[in-house]
Amino acid sequence: MTTVVAIVPAKDRQDSVAETVRALDALEEIDRVLVVDDGSTDATSDRSRAAGAQVLRLGTNLGKGGAVAAGVEATPDADVYVLIDADVGSGASQAEALLRPVLDDEADLAIGVLPAAGKRGGFGLIRRFATSGIKRASGLEMRAALSGQRAIRAEFLRGMDDSARFGLEVAMTIDIARAGGRVIEVDVPMEHRHTGRSVSGFRHRASQGTDIVEALWPRVVPVWLRRVLLVGVVGGVLGLSLVTTRASAVTSVPSQQSARHVVIVGVPYFGFDDFDPETMPNLTRIAAQGATGKMTVRTGGGSASENAYATLGAGYRVSASSAAAQAAGRDSDVEGSPAIDVLERRTGLRPGGEIVVPALVRLVRGAGAHVDSRPGALGFALHRAGLRTAVIANSDTVDVDGEVQSRAPAALAVVSTTGAVDLGDVSHELLRPAPDRPFGVEMDDDRLLAAFDRVVGDAAVTVVDPGETDRTAWYSSSMRAEVAADARAAALTRTDDLLGSISQRLPDDSLLIVAGLSPPSGSAELLPVVLSGTGVVPGRLESPSTGRPGLVTLTDLAPTVLTSLGVEVPPGMVGQPLRYHEGEFDIAALGAENDQIQNRSDVYPIFQTSFVVVSIVVFVFALIALLRRDTPRGVRRLLRWAVVLLPTTLFMTFVLRAVPVLGSFGVGSAVLLYALAGLFSWFLAGRGRRTLASLVAIAWLGFVVLCADLATGAQLQTSSLLGYTPTVAARFGGIGNASYALLAASAVIVVAWIVDRSARPRDAWWPALGVAVIAVGFDAAPWLGADVGGILSLVPALGLLLVLLAGRRLNWRTVGVAAGAAVAILAGVVAYEAIQPASERDHIGRFFLGGGGQGSFWTTIGRKLTTNISVLTASTWTYLIPLVAVFVVVVLRHRKSMRRLLPRRSVARAGFIGLITVALAGYAMNDSGAVVAALVSVYLGVYVALLALADEVPDDVLLEPIEADPVASGAM
């Protein structure tokens, strides 16, 4: 006896499903009607059951193909199936005409040809596309290629590959024809709902077309051609990224002429807001004639001027104690003895030179750990070349008892490793009484200029600091705010007057450098730097160290000075000689990025703390809800939105950066960020077709946006909440650690999704490999991510994931091969960098090979390890790691959920292992590894939460008496 089962896939069809069921149930040939409720949110199940059908309720929407596959799996006794759409209504009674040829053994598949839709349908483009695809793949000429009204022998339906959603009919027709099945078309007077030519109709047909392309692709395009095309696409994407990054790269020229003299005028506590033509007309004039840039003055210590000058002199980020700021004339009294005697008894050295730094030993020892260039490197290099140095500076203050506190931190810029500067004056005699000033003294212009005239012709490098801004900053805490503001304005004006006089006294063949050295606000910000004179091309300063338009570093100044004088740059210095981009002077444009940095500084602490707090609330809420057996459907829906909110918020930080005005409201920007993320995640959570659809959507968006950003110069990385900030980070290009975490987690999810959603997992493995190669390429390529830690963590993680997706088990040999692949790729990248000129090497090349912008390999490794440990113990992000770990362990152990949520050899388990691998390897291989692990763990927690939410479906919606797993497939 032949058993006939009618399968009616239905999604939110409470309006017509009952009538359809009754019409089918009335046919004698049909033994049973099964409605597969494909994640409906209305009364589809109840009305189907009331009309006499059995109901199989899917916990998540799988699409038509997935729904039919679930129905077939739930009815193993069927010999023939009738597939009828839920919106056919009473016309379903005509299914007898479809059944008859199959029951009479005249056909294996009978397809219903419905009356023409006319203007109630679309323009027929999708239908013609499907018809031509079927003909090409099987030779069949079809009239109703997309008709869902069909009768088919069970062995053919069970034997075909699942094709999700609207690709079902096309895949079914081709597979049966290729298998030798008999396919006929039967005219039937059925009608079903037409979507027409409305917006929703075109959207429906666009989705249908996508599914049809997916069904036709493996059936029309040969395997060899698919792999050739895949290689072409992957190579094209990476090649195009090289073209776009090179096209957007900074174009600049080096100095056009060597100088005989370099004069550095340091202006501590001077920022872009002070760069005003009325306040500083001389500097404005000099800048208009020269080249200007925005400089990051990050040091190894704080923002005090002694740290800045010591860093300038070392050519490396170092620290200096306040005691090191004391410089004195050779025979000046220090501790009751001549300064040179003090230096000798502390160091055993008695160098020549008019100026000495008695605290040299303390300066060198306090420079910091893991540094390749110590204070005094610039002066030493100049002395080795037979050149002399000079300093004219005094930042002395007077305490409440009238005692003079000697300070001349500018000497640290050119002091040699012996503790001496050849020429100059740092004495208190450079000052004169100024009873109207808050601190009672000021620089004596005549004395300073006389000292300058005396030394500048003999010295190759002269550093001048009138000390006015330094003194003002020193006394600011003792003054009322308005008095301090007036004093600072006066200090800037006096400094500018002296600068004007100095610029007129420069010898021929001189290079003048004017640099802000310490942020006036005390917080991190970019500061102005101006070069004028010999060899300078008017316009904008550029630095190979940063690769960013107009952005240079404090550590670039020492190499610039030495190169300008024709002196070899010591290998320990990390900067690069500054270059020039011809153009007009535009101080407003240079200060714009500084505004962005300030906005980021205002928002980041709020965002970081609030995100961790929100994550704690969401995961605790999720844990409570998932441990209960009777959590209401509405609560589960709210929970789905809440967990999706977390990765959406991380992604939205780049949207905030793309529209700078959105990040300028402080607390308001954080509120706006969560509002945008909340709306978007609500949209995703409500429209997700599969268990992890919303997470997959965010992963795809994050993956595409981050890759596109890297291909166009990584503009979204700079000063974004999850990027890096030039004032505090050692990285100025490529991808930062937090962004890498998002890219890596997104890549794992996308790669797993490609295999999971495909009807042919083996064929889908190759596109998944292609995406993995693109992910690694964008992270690793020197012109893109330039991420050493990323290579060593992402390659093994994706490699092991691909092994699992290929159906193979992991073992130590596989792990070793994956690790070896990471090392091999890194070696290839380093080899590529080795053939590049030292000045053009990117982050990875400088890391391994030198060439500026990076310390030695072992020094950098030591610094990164120290940073990793400090971040683990100090960063707020770290709280996310144990939070998610506890959540995942409890959920997977609850009622033995591990086997259900993450079955052995399943894509879901492979993705889970991939995320854990990325988190662990990312922690081990990155200097801010705790941040990487924390952000990846957010994706891991959301991944498990969404699987658990789809796992439990109320008992009354399961098919009875047939037992079936309502979430048997379609996790992604």
Side-chain angles (χ1 to χ4, degrees):
M1 180 178 176
T2 301
T3 300
V4 178
V5 175
I7 296 179
V8 182
K11 172 69 167 70
D12 294 330
R13 294 309 309 168
Q14 65 178 13
D15 58 336
S16 59
V17 69
E19 189 175 8
T20 302
V21 168
R22 285 192 290 268
L24 291 170
D25 197 40
L27 296 177
E28 294 182 358
E29 294 84 355
I30 295 178
D31 298 292
R32 189 162 69 250
V33 179
L34 172 64
V35 173
V36 182
D37 186 340
D38 193 17
S40 296
T41 58
D42 62 6
T44 296
S45 290
D46 295 335
R47 297 193 180 185
S48 300
R49 193 179 295 106
Q54 290 182 308
V55 176
L56 174 61
R57 173 73 181 276
L58 303 183
T60 186
N61 179 260
L62 302 183
K64 187 175 183 180
V68 170
V72 170
E73 184 178 358
T75 54
D77 60 325
D79 299 304
V80 174
Y81 287 103
V82 178
L83 307 180
I84 299 294
D85 292 339
D87 59 355
V88 170
S90 61
S93 61
Q94 302 299 319
E96 182 181 7
L98 299 175
L99 268 172
R100 185 51 50 200
V102 176
L103 294 177
D104 292 344
D105 199 23
E106 297 173 358
D108 300 300
L109 170 63
I111 303 172
V113 181
L114 278 61
K119 293 185 178 181
R120 294 175 299 167
F123 295 105
L125 297 177
I126 301 299
R127 177 179 55 79
R128 288 194 291 273
F129 172 66
T131 299
S132 63
I134 291 174
K135 182 177 180 180
R136 182 177 181 83
S138 65
L140 290 177
E141 291 276 3
M142 304 294 298
R143 290 185 295 149
L146 300 179
S147 174
Q149 325 316 316
R150 301 182 173 217
I152 180 175
R153 293 192 183 280
E155 59 265 28
F156 286 99
L157 192 55
R158 292 195 183 100
M160 71 169 287
D161 291 330
D162 174 30
S163 185
R165 313 200 70 78
F166 299 112
L168 172 68
E169 290 84 5
V170 171
M172 178 190 303
T173 303
I174 293 172
D175 289 353
I176 291 177
R178 284 180 169 179
R182 296 161 295 172
V183 180
I184 66 172
E185 292 182 304
V186 180
D187 291 295
V188 290
M190 291 182 180
E191 287 288 351
H192 66 93
R193 181 183 60 173
H194 296 283
T195 55
R197 298 174 184 178
S198 62
V199 173
S200 61
F202 287 118
R203 185 171 60 243
H204 166 76
R205 282 184 287 279
S207 176
Q208 187 179 35
T210 302
D211 293 333
I212 291 171
V213 169
E214 183 181 349
L216 287 174
W217 176 257
R219 293 171 171 86
V220 173
V221 183
V223 172
W224 68 268
L225 181 56
R226 275 181 267 156
R227 294 179 182 174
V228 169
L229 291 174
L230 177 64
V231 172
V233 169
V234 173
V237 169
L238 295 177
L240 181 62
S241 71
L242 176 60
V243 173
T244 55
T245 51
R246 292 309 186 208
S248 62
V250 174
T251 56
S252 56
V253 295
S255 174
Q256 302 299 293
Q257 184 180 352
S258 296
R260 293 180 57 201
H261 304 277
V262 176
V263 175
I264 303 172
V265 179
V267 190
Y269 308 103
F270 169 64
F272 276 100
D273 290 341
D274 304 316
F275 208 137
D276 181 84
E278 295 184 3
T279 304
M280 307 194 77
N282 290 308
L283 179 57
T284 303
R285 172 182 54 80
I286 293 170
Q289 297 171 352
T292 308
K294 48 197 175 186
M295 183 168 68
T296 171
V297 292
R298 181 187 178 210
T299 70
S303 60
S305 57
E306 53 265 28
N307 290 312
Y309 279 117
T311 294
L312 194 164
Y316 202 97
R317 293 184 297 274
V318 298
S319 177
S321 65
S322 58
Q326 182 186 21
R330 180 183 185 87
D331 298 320
S332 298
D333 181 74
V334 174
E335 299 175 1
S337 302
I340 187 62
D341 292 343
V342 176
L343 178 65
E344 183 179 17
R345 64 175 177 247
R346 291 178 179 178
T347 66
L349 302 173
R350 193 176 183 86
E354 297 180 357
I355 309 298
V356 296
V357 176
L360 175 68
V361 173
R362 188 169 181 179
L363 171 65
V364 173
R365 287 180 178 174
H370 313 302
V371 296
D372 287 325
S373 182
R374 296 284 177 175
L378 174 59
F380 177 79
L382 291 167
H383 285 169
R384 187 174 56 182
L387 302 177
R388 306 180 80 187
T389 59
V391 58
I392 310 294
N394 188 285
S395 300
D396 286 358
T397 58
V398 180
D399 63 22
V400 293
D401 297 322
E403 293 291 327
V404 174
Q405 304 295 317
S406 298
R407 297 186 73 251
L412 302 181
V414 285
V415 67
S416 179
T417 51
T418 61
V421 181
D422 298 307
L423 304 169
D425 190 348
V426 295
S427 68
H428 194 68
E429 283 69 30
L430 284 173
L431 305 181
R432 65 189 177 195
D436 59 330
R437 303 299 299 278
F439 23 87
V441 293
E442 66 182 12
M443 177 61 66
D444 187 319
D445 300 8
D446 294 337
R447 286 181 178 271
L448 181 144
L449 294 173
F452 179 78
D453 291 338
R454 179 176 67 85
V455 304
V456 69
D458 294 331
V461 179
T462 303
V463 178
V464 181
D465 183 353
E468 297 296 303
T469 56
D470 209 356
R471 253 186 303 277
T472 304
W474 183 274
Y475 278 98
S476 62
S477 61
S478 302
M479 294 184 283
R480 291 175 56 190
E482 57 270 24
V483 175
D486 291 341
R488 188 165 180 279
L492 290 171
T493 299
R494 284 188 47 74
T495 300
D496 187 70
D497 291 341
L498 286 166
L499 175 61
S501 299
I502 289 171
S503 66
Q504 295 173 3
R505 285 172 157 77
L506 292 175
D508 294 336
D509 300 330
S510 292
L511 170 66
L512 174 63
I513 301 175
V514 184
L517 297 173
S518 304
S521 63
S523 60
E525 58 181 292
L526 300 176
L527 304 181
V529 59
V530 178
L531 270 64
S532 179
T534 301
V536 175
V537 177
R540 185 179 71 201
L541 289 172
E542 304 289 1
S543 169
S545 298
T546 69
R548 295 283 183 180
L551 178 64
V552 305
T553 75
L554 178 60
T555 52
D556 289 325
L557 295 187
T560 300
V561 169
L562 294 173
T563 302
S564 178
L565 295 169
V567 178
E568 182 180 358
V569 178
M573 291 185 176
V574 297
Q576 289 279 298
L578 295 178
R579 296 167 65 92
Y580 306 97
H581 186 280
E582 187 175 2
E584 296 293 329
F585 170 63
D586 187 352
I587 193 64
L590 287 172
E593 185 170 349
N594 196 52
D595 294 337
Q596 180 65 38
I597 290 172
Q598 295 305 305
N599 293 337
R600 195 259 188 191
S601 298
D602 293 339
V603 178
Y604 181 77
I606 302 168
F607 164 70
Q608 182 188 40
T609 302
S610 62
F611 185 84
V612 172
V613 171
V614 170
S615 298
I616 292 173
V617 172
V618 168
F619 282 118
V620 170
F621 171 44
L623 192 60
I624 294 172
L626 293 173
L627 293 182
R628 294 182 56 182
R629 293 179 178 271
D630 56 347
T631 303
R633 184 180 299 177
V635 173
R636 300 174 73 86
R637 190 176 302 166
L638 176 63
L639 179 55
R640 185 175 290 107
W641 166 78
V643 295
V644 173
L645 172 67
L646 299 179
T648 305
T649 302
L650 297 178
F651 166 74
M652 280 292 173
T653 60
F654 295 102
V655 176
L656 203 71
R657 175 63 181 86
V659 186
V661 68
L662 298 180
S664 61
F665 305 123
V667 176
S669 294
V671 174
L672 181 62
L673 172 65
Y674 283 107
L676 292 173
L679 290 174
F680 193 53
S681 58
W682 184 265
F683 172 81
L684 291 176
R687 294 175 177 267
R689 294 174 174 179
R690 296 190 175 203
T691 304
L692 298 176
S694 50
L695 181 59
V696 169
I698 286 297
W700 263 117
L701 284 171
F703 183 78
V704 172
V705 168
L706 286 171
C707 288
D709 181 48
L710 291 174
T712 53
Q715 300 303 315
L716 296 183
Q717 291 290 308
T718 306
S719 298
S720 67
L721 295 175
L722 294 179
Y724 38 76
T725 301
T727 54
V728 297
R731 175 186 282 272
F732 303 101
I735 190 168
N737 284 329
S739 297
Y740 162 73
L742 270 60
L743 177 67
S746 297
V748 167
I749 293 170
V750 168
V751 167
W753 172 83
I754 290 173
V755 174
D756 180 75
R757 78 182 301 272
S758 175
R760 298 169 179 256
R762 290 186 178 179
D763 291 341
W765 188 90
W766 293 97
L769 172 64
V771 171
V773 171
I774 290 174
V776 171
F778 272 83
D779 180 68
W783 61 89
L784 293 170
D787 185 14
V788 175
I791 296 174
L792 297 177
S793 55
L794 185 59
V795 172
L798 290 179
L800 297 179
L801 173 63
L802 288 167
V803 169
L804 291 172
L805 293 176
R808 300 179 181 274
R809 294 186 176 184
L810 298 182
N811 51 46
W812 287 112
R813 180 181 178 183
T814 305
V815 174
V817 170
V823 173
I825 291 173
L826 180 57
V829 173
V830 174
Y832 169 84
E833 285 289 271
I835 64 176
Q836 307 299 314
S839 62
E840 297 181 11
R841 288 173 183 158
D842 289 287
H843 188 77
I844 294 179
R846 295 195 295 266
F847 178 71
F848 285 97
L849 305 170
Q854 189 74 42
S856 71
F857 177 81
W858 293 112
T859 299
T860 305
I861 290 295
R863 187 178 69 249
K864 287 179 178 289
L865 288 174
T866 301
T867 303
N868 205 347
I869 294 172
S870 69
V871 170
L872 178 64
T873 57
S875 175
T876 305
W877 291 115
T878 306
Y879 292 109
L880 293 173
I881 300 174
L883 169 69
V884 174
V886 170
F887 172 80
V888 170
V889 169
V890 173
V891 169
L892 294 182
R893 288 179 62 88
H894 178 58
R895 298 203 298 271
K896 299 181 179 179
S897 296
M898 181 79 172
R899 294 181 179 178
R900 296 197 311 277
L901 302 185
L902 305 171
R904 291 183 181 276
R905 304 175 72 85
S906 68
V907 173
R909 176 172 285 203
F912 177 79
I913 293 174
L915 288 173
I916 290 180
T917 305
V918 163
L920 294 176
Y923 171 75
M925 297 299 175
N926 292 277
D927 52 358
S928 296
V931 176
V932 174
L935 295 179
V936 173
S937 71
V938 171
Y939 283 77
L940 179 66
V942 174
Y943 187 91
V944 172
L946 291 175
L947 287 175
L949 281 168
D951 179 56
E952 295 184 9
V953 178
D955 293 338
D956 62 345
V957 300
L958 297 181
L959 177 65
E960 295 179 357
I962 300 172
E963 294 185 3
D965 183 357
V967 196
S969 62
M972 306 297 278

